[in-house]
CSV table of all heavy atoms in Angstrom, one decimal:
chain,number,residue,atom,x,y,z
A,154,LEU,N,-20.5,-15.5,-39.8
A,154,LEU,CA,-19.4,-16.3,-40.1
A,154,LEU,C,-18.2,-16.1,-39.1
A,154,LEU,O,-17.5,-17.0,-38.7
A,154,LEU,CB,-18.9,-16.1,-41.5
A,154,LEU,CG,-17.9,-17.0,-42.1
A,154,LEU,CD1,-18.4,-18.4,-42.1
A,154,LEU,CD2,-17.5,-16.6,-43.5
A,155,SER,N,-18.0,-14.8,-38.8
A,155,SER,CA,-16.9,-14.5,-37.8
A,155,SER,C,-17.2,-15.1,-36.4
A,155,SER,O,-16.3,-15.4,-35.7
A,155,SER,CB,-16.6,-13.0,-37.7
A,155,SER,OG,-17.8,-12.4,-37.2
A,156,GLN,N,-18.5,-15.2,-36.1
A,156,GLN,CA,-18.9,-15.8,-34.8
A,156,GLN,C,-18.7,-17.3,-34.8
A,156,GLN,O,-18.4,-17.9,-33.8
A,156,GLN,CB,-20.3,-15.4,-34.4
A,156,GLN,CG,-20.5,-13.9,-34.1
A,156,GLN,CD,-22.0,-13.6,-33.9
A,156,GLN,OE1,-22.8,-14.5,-34.1
A,156,GLN,NE2,-22.2,-12.4,-33.5
A,157,LYS,N,-19.0,-17.9,-35.9
A,157,LYS,CA,-19.1,-19.4,-36.0
A,157,LYS,C,-17.8,-20.0,-36.5
A,157,LYS,O,-17.6,-21.2,-36.2
A,157,LYS,CB,-20.2,-19.8,-36.9
A,157,LYS,CG,-21.6,-19.4,-36.3
A,157,LYS,CD,-22.7,-19.8,-37.2
A,157,LYS,CE,-24.0,-19.5,-36.6
A,157,LYS,NZ,-25.2,-20.0,-37.4
A,158,ASP,N,-17.0,-19.3,-37.2
A,158,ASP,CA,-15.8,-20.0,-37.8
A,158,ASP,C,-14.6,-19.9,-36.8
A,158,ASP,O,-13.6,-19.3,-37.0
A,158,ASP,CB,-15.4,-19.3,-39.1
A,158,ASP,CG,-14.4,-20.1,-39.9
A,158,ASP,OD1,-14.2,-21.2,-39.6
A,158,ASP,OD2,-13.8,-19.5,-40.9
A,159,ASN,N,-14.8,-20.7,-35.7
A,159,ASN,CA,-13.7,-20.8,-34.7
A,159,ASN,C,-13.8,-22.1,-34.0
A,159,ASN,O,-14.9,-22.8,-34.0
A,159,ASN,CB,-13.6,-19.6,-33.8
A,159,ASN,CG,-14.9,-19.4,-33.0
A,159,ASN,OD1,-15.6,-20.3,-32.6
A,159,ASN,ND2,-15.4,-18.1,-32.9
A,160,ASP,N,-12.8,-22.5,-33.3
A,160,ASP,CA,-12.8,-23.8,-32.6
A,160,ASP,C,-13.8,-23.8,-31.4
A,160,ASP,O,-14.4,-24.9,-31.1
A,160,ASP,CB,-11.4,-24.1,-32.0
A,160,ASP,CG,-10.4,-24.4,-33.1
A,160,ASP,OD1,-10.9,-24.9,-34.2
A,160,ASP,OD2,-9.2,-24.3,-32.9
A,161,THR,N,-14.0,-22.7,-30.8
A,161,THR,CA,-15.0,-22.7,-29.6
A,161,THR,C,-16.4,-23.0,-30.1
A,161,THR,O,-17.1,-23.8,-29.5
A,161,THR,CB,-15.0,-21.3,-29.0
A,161,THR,OG1,-13.6,-20.9,-28.7
A,161,THR,CG2,-15.8,-21.2,-27.7
A,162,TYR,N,-16.8,-22.4,-31.2
A,162,TYR,CA,-18.1,-22.7,-31.8
A,162,TYR,C,-18.2,-24.2,-32.2
A,162,TYR,O,-19.2,-24.9,-31.9
A,162,TYR,CB,-18.4,-21.8,-33.0
A,162,TYR,CG,-19.8,-22.1,-33.6
A,162,TYR,CD1,-20.9,-21.6,-33.0
A,162,TYR,CD2,-19.9,-22.9,-34.7
A,162,TYR,CE1,-22.2,-21.8,-33.5
A,162,TYR,CE2,-21.2,-23.1,-35.2
A,162,TYR,CZ,-22.3,-22.6,-34.6
A,162,TYR,OH,-23.6,-22.8,-35.2
A,163,ARG,N,-17.2,-24.7,-32.8
A,163,ARG,CA,-17.2,-26.2,-33.2
A,163,ARG,C,-17.3,-27.1,-31.9
A,163,ARG,O,-18.0,-28.1,-32.0
A,163,ARG,CB,-15.9,-26.5,-33.9
A,163,ARG,CG,-15.9,-25.9,-35.3
A,163,ARG,CD,-14.7,-26.4,-36.1
A,163,ARG,NE,-14.6,-25.9,-37.5
A,163,ARG,CZ,-14.1,-24.7,-37.9
A,163,ARG,NH1,-13.5,-23.9,-37.0
A,163,ARG,NH2,-14.1,-24.4,-39.1
A,164,ARG,N,-16.6,-26.7,-30.9
A,164,ARG,CA,-16.6,-27.6,-29.7
A,164,ARG,C,-18.0,-27.5,-29.0
A,164,ARG,O,-18.5,-28.5,-28.5
A,164,ARG,CB,-15.6,-27.1,-28.6
A,164,ARG,CG,-14.3,-27.8,-28.8
A,164,ARG,CD,-13.3,-27.5,-27.7
A,164,ARG,NE,-12.2,-26.9,-28.3
A,164,ARG,CZ,-11.7,-25.7,-28.0
A,164,ARG,NH1,-12.2,-25.0,-27.0
A,164,ARG,NH2,-10.7,-25.2,-28.6
A,165,GLN,N,-18.6,-26.3,-29.0
A,165,GLN,CA,-19.9,-26.2,-28.4
A,165,GLN,C,-21.0,-26.9,-29.1
A,165,GLN,O,-22.0,-27.4,-28.5
A,165,GLN,CB,-20.3,-24.7,-28.3
A,165,GLN,CG,-19.5,-23.9,-27.2
A,165,GLN,CD,-19.8,-22.4,-27.3
A,165,GLN,OE1,-20.4,-21.9,-28.2
A,165,GLN,NE2,-19.3,-21.7,-26.3
A,166,ASN,N,-20.9,-27.0,-30.4
A,166,ASN,CA,-21.9,-27.7,-31.3
A,166,ASN,C,-21.5,-29.1,-31.7
A,166,ASN,O,-22.0,-29.6,-32.7
A,166,ASN,CB,-22.2,-26.8,-32.5
A,166,ASN,CG,-22.9,-25.5,-32.0
A,166,ASN,OD1,-23.9,-25.5,-31.4
A,166,ASN,ND2,-22.2,-24.4,-32.3
A,167,ALA,N,-20.5,-29.6,-31.1
A,167,ALA,CA,-20.0,-31.0,-31.4
A,167,ALA,C,-21.0,-32.0,-30.9
A,167,ALA,O,-21.6,-31.8,-29.8
A,167,ALA,CB,-18.6,-31.2,-30.9
A,168,VAL,N,-21.0,-33.1,-31.6
A,168,VAL,CA,-21.8,-34.3,-31.1
A,168,VAL,C,-20.9,-35.3,-30.5
A,168,VAL,O,-20.0,-35.8,-31.2
A,168,VAL,CB,-22.7,-34.9,-32.3
A,168,VAL,CG1,-23.4,-36.1,-31.8
A,168,VAL,CG2,-23.6,-33.8,-32.9
Side-chain angles (χ1 to χ4, degrees):
L154 189 61
S155 66
Q156 290 175 355
K157 293 182 179 182
D158 193 13
N159 57 43
D160 289 336
T161 307
Y162 180 79
R163 285 183 179 92
R164 269 187 243 125
Q165 288 173 349
N166 293 302
V168 177

